[in-house]
Amino acid sequence: MAIIEVGSINNFSVSVKKDIPEASMLESVSTFSELDQVSKSIEPNSFELITSKDQRGLYLKKLKLEKGFGGFLNNLLGSTNNIYFIAWAWDLSGEPVNLYPGKDVQPESVLIPMKAGNVREFIGNGIVLFPKRYVKGGIALRIQIWESDQEIRKFGKAVNDTSEAIKNSKLNNLLSLISLGTGVSGVTISLVKDAAIELGGIIGTILKSNGDDYVDFFEGYYSSDDEWIKKDEIYKGNSSQMTLQKN
């Protein structure tokens, strides 16, 4: 379960197709949750995903280790910790899941040496978590922060295994199929939710098996018809604080 939660996939945006007989009666249905409630009584694919009016992107701007990270002894000795994070994000436009870091990345470029209380700020807008584009339905973002206790070679393998898991996931396949369809149904929504949960579990298992220590977990959902204000947003977990930039 995520330590930091923002929004819900149930609030992703849909609208009824104007050319179906029941259109006037279903105009109030505008979210995944509401569509799920009426899906059994309507024809499949009676709804379509709402596309955002503007292009939207998400970036990691800053990462901070809280002073309580690692306990009293760690803080007293001023230990340096090798921190890294895995982030994956997607919408329903048909684009594949975006992963940070990608496959075949150099481990040295991903590990972040940090002491408790320190802040790491990333240059420019920050690290791209969701590439800026028009969004269908909404953006789903997950970030898992870990402390690496293992050798570089094992860390590199875990990152590559994560990349392969995403590439071959049910979620990635579903996103591709949705983009080819003529609408969205309650069944489709349930499949996407289940596939997203399954992928999160697979990634967590890969990283745990690498022997690393879990730090924090962020899960955020941003509906495509919500107002998109370009700003920095700060989220605080149990052991870390992150600054996300909406752009």
Side-chain angles (χ1 to χ4, degrees), residues 14-17 20-23 25-27 29 31-32 34-48 184-187 189:
V14 296
S15 62
V16 65
K17 293 181 178 179
I20 67 167
E22 305 93 339
M25 295 184 293
L26 297 171
E27 285 182 346
V29 177
T31 66
F32 274 15
E34 292 166 349
L35 174 55
D36 191 45
Q37 293 176 24
V38 301
S39 61
K40 293 180 180 179
S41 59
I42 60 174
E43 291 294 320
N45 299 325
S46 297
F47 281 76
E48 57 192 1
V184 61
S185 67
V187 172
I189 291 168

Side-chain angles (χ1 to χ4, degrees), residues 74-95:
N74 191 345
N75 293 319
L76 183 65
L77 298 176
S79 300
T80 298
N81 312 276
N82 281 325
I83 302 298
Y84 70 93
F85 67 92
I86 301 288
W88 62 103
W90 48 274
D91 72 338
L92 295 157
S93 63
E95 294 293 328

